[in-house]
Amino acid sequence: MKLRGVELRRISMPLVRPFRTSFGVETTRDILLVRAETTGPDGDAEGWGECVAMAEPRYSPEYVDGAQHVIEHFFLPLLRATGEFTAAGVAPALAVFEGHPMAKAAVEMAVLDAELRVAGVSLADHLGAVKERVPSGVSVGITDSTETLLAQVAGYLDDGYLRIKLKIEPGTDVERVRAVRQCFGADLLLQVDANAAYSVDDADHLRALDELDLLLIEQPLPPDDVAGHAVLAAQLTTPICLDESITSAAIAGDAIARGACSIVNIKAGRVGGYLEAVRVHDTCVAADVPVWCGGMLETGLGRAANLALAALPGFTLPGDTSASARYWETDLTEPFELGADGHIAVPTGPGLGVVPLPDVLASVTTSTTRWFP
Ligand code: SMG
Ligand code: MG
């Protein structure tokens, strides 16, 4: 196929409640959308990509203005010069540019959506999904008090979420996690995410989490500190799961081989796209390492793609693939709803299986830039 044109759209979407992590707080998501218009022997199509970069470079070095800049100034000119390409060829072509996995993932997602719409194939089928519904967990931000945290967890359990992930930071960590465990009992599937807030010297402190029977502790140490995670893993009984550290299938294989993690959180944006995310999954499955699908506070577009990914066979733990209402008063797409059994249906239509609702899209758009014609 060829690119006929590309629209880069920025949208602003207020979250239903602020989401605080050890590195900052999100109240309104400033999101870059990529709409790729393609043409090929089997027809013209349009595809949507969502860039998961946040407004500020805190979770990782990427940020939304930077992502838009690198797409406009480097990725699109290169793809235009390439002429004919396929979705599978996007990542290899863009590999001449270092870094920027979230920006690359957004472009690949848009082209892949267009390609699959022409082919009449759903993203789930294309990626290798084996499930029609996936179990849903929820990520709970850091709160001002333990009481507020307990109330929020109670609300999410009432909604039907099957697993709770608590964001933690030094100072309140063990006490808050213990309060949740005591309040909701031994059967609650509970895990924590530190977003790199600790150092390997905190091993003794983090060992206090071992008695709280957690599914995992996610990314306790900085992304580069794979060696430190291996040291920590040897000192904790709580399994270590890596998020920020895992930026490719090769690095996943290396981290596993070095004993740095025994579970992996997969996010397409962090690894440069859904196709690389499948390779991360395959690497983990080959090493007998369970995976689950992470989230980046996506709209219904990114959520649709995450649900497709989460339907692959190695995703044996509930993901941060929550329903639309956990994030938005009004989602960009038809809302994703949590079923009575705590699962969400995987979209079945061609490509992502969802499109932005025109009225909602118009009302949240803050800028639009057109490329080529
Ligand atoms: O999409 O439900 C979601 C958010 C899940 O906790 C979540 N994401 O480190 O895993 C993580 C964070 C990254 C985003 S924080 C703004
Ligand atoms: Mg995380």
Side-chain angles (χ1 to χ4, degrees):
M1 78 184 94
K2 278 186 171 159
L3 274 182
R4 282 183 294 134
V6 172
E7 190 180 273
L8 297 176
R9 227 178 231 268
R10 288 285 280 277
I11 61 171
S12 176
M13 304 246 306
L15 289 161
V16 291
R17 65 164 56 129
F19 185 65
R20 189 154 89 74
T21 65
S22 62
F23 62 80
V25 58
E26 302 290 327
T27 50
T28 296
R29 288 281 282 120
D30 173 357
I31 298 174
L32 169 65
L33 301 179
V34 179
R35 186 167 68 91
E37 300 160 12
T38 63
T39 185
D42 299 321
D44 292 354
E46 241 182 58
W48 288 92
E50 174 170 348
C51 181
V52 300
M54 304 278 156
E56 297 184 9
R58 293 178 184 268
Y59 167 82
S60 79
E62 287 187 276
Y63 62 103
V64 64
D65 285 337
Q68 178 156 359
H69 186 277
V70 78
I71 290 172
E72 286 179 8
H73 292 265
F74 298 99
F75 298 174
L76 295 181
L78 182 135
L79 289 178
R80 176 157 59 170
T82 305
E84 289 283 334
F85 62 91
T86 62
V90 170
L94 297 182
V96 296
F97 301 117
E98 284 295 320
H100 302 283
M102 294 174 179
K104 289 173 179 174
V107 173
E108 183 195 79
M109 179 176 163
V111 171
L112 185 56
D113 183 29
E115 187 176 273
L116 294 175
R117 283 179 197 274
V118 171
V121 174
S122 71
L123 179 63
D125 283 346
H126 182 72
L127 298 181
V130 295
K131 285 180 259 184
E132 290 170 5
R133 309 162 61 64
V134 296
S136 193
V138 62
S139 175
V140 187
I142 297 169
T143 50
D144 291 340
S145 71
T146 304
E147 292 64 46
T148 306
L149 178 63
L150 295 177
Q152 287 190 8
V153 171
Y156 290 130
L157 292 175
D158 274 355
D159 292 342
Y161 287 105
L162 299 173
R163 176 280 265 157
I164 297 290
K165 160 168 142 180
L166 304 179
K167 291 294 199 177
I168 58 167
E169 66 182 353
T172 51
D173 44 18
V174 178
E175 163 206 330
R176 296 274 176 96
V177 182
R178 184 177 292 127
V180 170
R181 175 56 85 205
Q182 279 171 355
C183 185
F184 299 100
D187 290 343
L188 175 68
L189 297 182
L190 184 63
Q191 64 192 53
V192 296
D193 185 359
N195 288 108
Y198 298 89
S199 87
V200 76
D201 298 336
D202 294 316
D204 284 344
H205 173 71
L206 291 172
R207 242 198 316 267
L209 293 171
D210 280 346
E211 65 177 37
L212 298 173
D213 195 22
L214 304 178
L215 288 170
L216 57 91
I217 176 169
E218 183 178 343
Q219 196 70 43
L221 311 181
D224 289 347
D225 198 3
V226 173
H229 282 101
V231 170
L232 192 60
Q235 298 183 47
L236 300 185
T237 57
T238 305
I240 291 190
C241 169
L242 289 178
D243 173 359
E244 286 90 327
S245 294
I246 305 298
T247 51
S248 68
I251 288 176
D254 181 56
I256 293 165
R258 291 164 65 182
C261 63
S262 52
I263 299 174
V264 169
N265 165 333
I266 302 186
K267 291 177 182 167
R270 201 191 61 223
V271 302
Y274 283 89
L275 301 178
E276 181 69 7
V278 172
R279 290 187 282 270
V280 176
H281 161 272
D282 295 348
T283 299
C284 293
V285 168
D288 231 1
V289 164
V291 305
W292 54 281
C293 186
M296 292 292 287
L297 308 171
E298 289 93 342
T299 73
L301 291 174
R303 191 154 316 285
N306 286 346
L307 291 165
L309 181 67
L312 269 65
F315 286 78
T316 53
L317 294 167
D320 287 343
T321 42
S322 314
S324 297
R326 182 257 172 266
Y327 309 94
W328 322 111
E329 210 69 63
T330 309
D331 204 339
L332 188 59
T333 62
E334 289 293 344
F336 285 94
E337 272 156 24
L338 194 61
D341 59 353
H343 286 56
I344 301 184
V346 177
T348 54
L352 296 174
V354 296
V355 288
L357 300 169
D359 291 353
V360 180
L361 181 63
S363 72
V364 297
T365 296
T366 54
S367 75
T368 307
T369 311
R370 276 204 62 81
W371 272 80
F372 317 156

